[in-house]
Amino acid sequence: MSEQTYNQIKVLISEKEIDDKITAMAREINETYKDTLPVIVCVLKGSFIFCSNLVKKLNLPLLEIEFLAVSSYGNEIVTSGKVNLTMPLTGSIEGKDVLLVEDIVDTGITSKFLINYIKEHNPKSIKFASLLCKPEKLQDHINIDYLGFNIEDKFVIGYGLDYHGKYRTLPYIGYF
Ligand code: PRP
C-alpha cells in the first residue's frame, strides 16, 4: 500500500462509534441469552474483529465459539454471486442456540446461504448479528436481529473488512 493510497482513506464510522454500538448490542444479547448457553458462529474472515470485540462485552462466560469461512468476493469489489464454503463448521451446533456473527450484509447472498447452512445443522434457535448492512444493495429480505449500522453503497474497509486482502486491521470503517 503506498502512503498516498493510505492517506486517501476517509472515515465512515469511527472506532468510538463502533465501540459504543457494540456495547449497546452486547447489552441486548446478554439479556436474550441470560438463561441459555449460546454458541457464537463467527464468519471468517471479515467478522473476526467485530466478533472478538462483541464477545468480550458479553457477560456469558460459558458461551461457546465456532468458526466457519466463506468467500464470494475474492479480489473483486462486486460479488461473484456464488458463495464458497472455504471452511465448514467443525463443532456441533445441533440443539443449540446459535448467534451467527457477520461483518456486513451487502447483497445478502452470503447471509442467506449461511442461515440455510446453519439450519441444516438443526440448531435449537438461530439469531443473526451484523455490524453493517447496505439496504440499497439487498437482493432479498434478511432478518438481522442485531444490527450495528445501515450504510450507503460504498465499498468499505477496516474493522475486519478488506480490499485485496488488505486494510482489515484499520480500527475504523473507512472508504476510498
Ligand atoms: C464479505 C463479507 C460477507 C459478505 C457479504 O465476505 O465478509 O461475508 O462478503 O456480502 P454479500 O451480502 O454481498 O454476500 P468475502 O466474500 O469478501 O470474504 P471475507 O470475509 O473473507 O473477506
Side-chain angles (χ1 to χ4, degrees):
M1 169 180 56
S2 71
E3 197 175 316
Q4 195 187 9
T5 313
Y6 190 81
N7 289 339
Q8 286 168 356
I9 300 171
K10 298 179 197 71
V11 177
L12 183 67
I13 309 172
S14 71
E15 187 172 7
K16 167 86 168 67
E17 287 174 295
I18 299 170
D19 192 64
D20 289 349
K21 187 66 84 171
I22 295 178
T23 301
M25 197 186 281
R27 221 174 275 137
E28 273 187 72
I29 295 172
N30 279 329
E31 186 56 30
T32 303
Y33 293 104
K34 62 178 193 272
D35 299 322
T36 58
L37 282 180
V39 53
I40 305 281
V41 175
C42 173
V43 183
L44 300 174
K45 297 176 186 170
S47 76
F48 80 109
I49 291 182
F50 169 49
C51 191
S52 304
N53 289 334
L54 177 65
V55 294
K56 282 188 285 183
K57 290 180 192 278
L58 296 180
N59 185 26
L60 303 165
L62 299 180
L63 64 72
E64 296 171 80
I65 304 190
E66 296 293 340
F67 297 89
L68 54 73
V70 285
S71 174
S72 52
Y73 282 73
N75 274 344
E76 304 302 322
I77 61 166
V78 289
T79 178
S80 64
K82 184 179 178 322
V83 181
N84 293 311
L85 183 67
T86 51
M87 186 181 93
L89 273 176
T90 50
S92 171
I93 57 166
E94 189 167 343
K96 295 182 180 170
D97 292 303
V98 170
L99 176 60
L100 180 67
V101 177
E102 260 283 32
D103 52 335
I104 186 166
V105 177
D106 192 313
T107 61
I109 291 172
T110 304
S111 327
K112 208 169 172 187
F113 171 92
L114 287 171
I115 289 165
N116 285 334
Y117 175 79
I118 297 285
K119 282 182 180 164
E120 283 166 14
H121 289 73
N122 304 314
K124 182 174 167 203
S125 69
I126 174 165
K127 287 193 180 287
F128 182 36
S130 182
L131 179 62
L132 304 173
C133 178
K134 286 185 187 170
E136 285 169 51
K137 291 280 293 299
L138 267 180
Q139 291 186 359
D140 219 337
H141 174 75
I142 301 283
N143 185 45
I144 306 175
D145 299 282
Y146 308 100
L147 173 63
F149 303 89
N150 275 319
I151 59 168
E152 57 198 285
D153 182 18
K154 288 182 187 305
F155 189 85
V156 284
I157 51 171
Y159 220 85
L161 290 96
D162 74 306
Y163 174 66
H164 283 200
K166 311 223 183 313
Y167 307 101
R168 290 193 198 272
T169 56
L170 293 175
Y172 52 83
I173 296 292
Y175 64 101
F176 292 111

